[in-house]
Amino acid sequence: MTDAGRRAELAASLDRVRERIARACLAAGRPPDAVTLTAVTKTYPASDVLLLAGLGVTDVAENRDQEASAKAAAVHAEGVRPRWHFVGQLQRNKVRSVIGYADVIESVDSVRLAGALGRATVERESPIDVLVQVSLDGDPARGGVSGDDLWRVSDAVASSDGLRLAGVMAVAPRGEDPGAAFARLEVLAGQMAVRYPGASTVSAGMSGDLEAAVRYGATHVRIGTSLLGMRNSLR
Ligand SMILES: *Cc1c(COP(=O)(O)O)cnc(C)c1O
């Protein structure tokens, strides 16, 4: 496809997604600008990130360091600087690479990972934003903390100079009404904001369940498929 063709395609899907977010905000009695769209660009090329940025998308997310670091370098070489979110499982040996381009790390779910990030960022001028990933189904295989681990990991992040605890992130469990799961997340997010003033980001909602997430207080929705199209690989 030509660049102009792809641009028109992305502009149309972006309009549809923004419309969905606006409607969901209206239905929830929240102001239309209460929710930030994060475009999940995994498996799609740097050229798509550049087109989306040109269409006004400010935040993009990636889930694999190798792909993300190359893509970020290509985008930055064009003088474009979106806010990069890292949303994938993060191995401790990838921490140094990820903090080289990421502005927000959404998938911190262990004290050990928080510690590795804290050591790697100790000399940064401005702290990096961290969201603690919450498991809404208690299945540790899918990432995220459960129970009091939320507070153990949050304390580890909050006590690191190079990190700023910004809030929570979650993925809706399979096989459950996403609204019920996001309602539980909303309770935890409320407790976090009381415990750590300023930690008010709630990253929840994907292409299939953004309306439920907005209803239960998401401040950021992470949209891949509805914006960019179906991914070839299963991730
Ligand atoms: C891929 C991914 C998304 C986007 O999912 P879509 O269903 O394509 O919108 C959101 N969050 C995370 C953590 C992802 O890995």
Side-chain angles (χ1 to χ4, degrees), residues 45-64:
S47 55
D48 279 353
V49 177
L50 292 167
L51 289 171
L52 287 170
L55 292 165
V57 170
T58 54
D59 291 65
V60 295
E62 289 284 332
N63 72 337
R64 293 189 177 191

Side-chain angles (χ1 to χ4, degrees), residues 40 42 63 87 169 171 206-207 222-225 231 235:
V40 183
K42 64 190 180 194
N63 72 337
V87 299
M169 178 275 238
V171 177
M206 318 201 309
S207 293
R222 308 179 306 270
I223 308 300
T225 311
R231 290 178 295 274
R235 61 185 174 116

Side-chain angles (χ1 to χ4, degrees), residues 50-93:
L50 292 167
L51 289 171
L52 287 170
L55 292 165
V57 170
T58 54
D59 291 65
V60 295
E62 289 284 332
N63 72 337
R64 293 189 177 191
D65 172 58
Q66 204 177 357
E67 178 184 346
S69 57
K71 207 177 293 182
V75 169
H76 298 170
E78 299 298 319
V80 174
R81 191 70 179 79
R83 217 168 133 72
W84 294 94
H85 297 242
F86 190 84
V87 299
Q89 207 176 53
L90 177 53
Q91 263 117 35
R92 276 175 291 138
N93 63 349

Side-chain angles (χ1 to χ4, degrees), residues 147-156 188 191-192 195-196:
D148 280 345
D149 281 348
L150 173 57
W151 309 119
R152 289 192 194 98
V153 176
S154 299
D155 285 342
L188 296 174
Q191 292 170 351
M192 180 175 277
R195 212 160 153 150
Y196 307 96

